[in-house]
Amino acid sequence: RKENSAKEPSANTAIVNGKMSQDIRDHFTAEKEASLYYLGVGAVTTMAGLYYKNEADGYYPSPIGKKSDLAYNTGISYPLLGVGLFQLATGGLMYFKSDKKSGDVIKDLEDSPTDFKERELKRLESISEWNRIYRYTEYAMIGGGFLALYSGQLSDIDYMKGLGTGFIIQGIAMLALDYFSNQRTDSYKDKVINFNFSYVPASKNQNAYSINSLGTNGTSRNEGYY
């Protein structure tokens, strides 16, 4: 009896090698790949900000100042540099944490498959809340950027024109990056929602388990037995 049990894989081991664990790996692999876009955009905007700041070195704008050859460069450098560093930090964290997070989530699935769905959905809901905050912040950056640009044009203040342009560029860039990130998270969330684990009666002296998920046509899919 001991020999047979040693040869048979546990239910948890079978789950780790199943469909849900592969969905987890695919999700975090895609997240790691997406981190390169954050790093790329962050590198470009940070370098552009440094360029404009270097061009405007030594210029300190006055709120009542008018035109200046350096004012526009100073204005645009701040959002490019500030948000660019945030993009680099975000991309770096995503890149270096994705593999560990994937392993942690799979271990959670392995340790307690029956509770996995509730815990993972709670984690994803927290991510969705933060994504909403980021999205509203990006809308504010774009709206504030257009307001600053319009104000600069009315008052003929180049500093405000540059500041507005920088916020518009970074707001649109972040909105695009986060849009695809949200799409990826929503797709993975659907897979977690459709995941159901349950033990089924054994037959012919075999242990059995089932991992059920809903297919696109609404039918139940059985992932396997051992």
Side-chain angles (χ1 to χ4, degrees):
R1 181 177 299 177
K2 290 184 178 179
E3 291 180 357
N4 291 336
S5 62
K7 292 180 180 179
E8 291 176 352
S10 66
N12 290 346
T13 301
I15 294 166
V16 171
N17 294 324
K19 177 68 166 58
M20 191 67 244
S21 61
Q22 188 58 52
D23 288 337
I24 294 170
R25 291 189 186 92
D26 291 344
H27 170 69
F28 284 102
T29 296
E31 181 179 275
K32 189 172 184 179
E33 293 172 351
S35 70
L36 300 178
Y37 290 100
Y38 280 86
L39 289 170
V41 172
V44 170
T45 56
T46 299
M47 287 189 294
L50 287 172
Y51 168 79
Y52 282 114
K53 190 69 176 70
N54 182 66
E55 289 292 306
D57 190 33
Y59 172 73
Y60 300 95
S62 168
I64 59 174
K66 290 291 185 180
K67 294 181 68 65
S68 168
D69 294 337
L70 304 178
Y72 181 88
N73 291 346
T74 301
I76 196 173
S77 69
Y78 290 142
L80 290 181
L81 270 174
V83 183
L85 292 174
F86 174 80
Q87 291 161 343
L88 287 173
T90 300
L93 285 174
M94 288 171 61
Y95 184 86
F96 289 109
K97 290 180 65 176
S98 292
D99 289 340
K100 182 181 184 304
K101 193 62 183 177
S102 177
D104 290 344
V105 174
I106 289 176
K107 187 178 185 301
D108 187 35
L109 172 65
E110 177 184 8
D111 290 343
S112 183
T114 54
D115 298 328
F116 164 77
K117 181 176 179 178
E118 180 180 355
R119 287 196 298 269
E120 187 65 353
L121 286 178
K122 185 179 295 186
R123 185 183 73 86
L124 292 173
E125 184 57 35
S126 176
I127 292 175
S128 296
E129 287 296 327
W130 277 107
N131 287 340
R132 277 190 282 271
I133 294 173
Y134 292 145
R135 185 163 61 249
Y136 292 142
T137 302
E138 289 151 8
Y139 290 153
M141 287 172 58
I142 295 172
F146 276 112
L147 184 62
L149 181 60
Y150 181 67
S151 174
Q153 290 174 337
L154 286 180
S155 305
D156 198 23
I157 300 177
D158 286 348
Y159 172 75
M160 293 299 292
K161 295 177 186 178
L163 190 68
T165 301
F167 274 119
I168 292 170
I169 291 173
Q170 288 291 42
I172 293 175
M174 287 300 300
L175 197 62
L177 288 170
D178 288 345
Y179 171 79
F180 292 107
S181 176
N182 293 339
Q183 291 293 307
R184 184 176 61 255
T185 300
D186 289 343
S187 176
Y188 171 63
K189 186 176 181 179
D190 288 340
K191 294 174 182 177
V192 175
I193 290 174
N194 291 330
F195 170 79
N196 289 289
F197 174 88
S198 61
Y199 287 98
V200 297
S203 61
K204 296 182 180 180
N205 298 322
Q206 290 182 326
N207 293 321
Y209 76 92
S210 69
I211 302 175
N212 298 311
S213 60
L214 297 178
T216 55
N217 59 356
T219 59
S220 178
R221 298 183 301 182
N222 187 5
E223 299 298 340
Y225 295 86
Y226 74 93

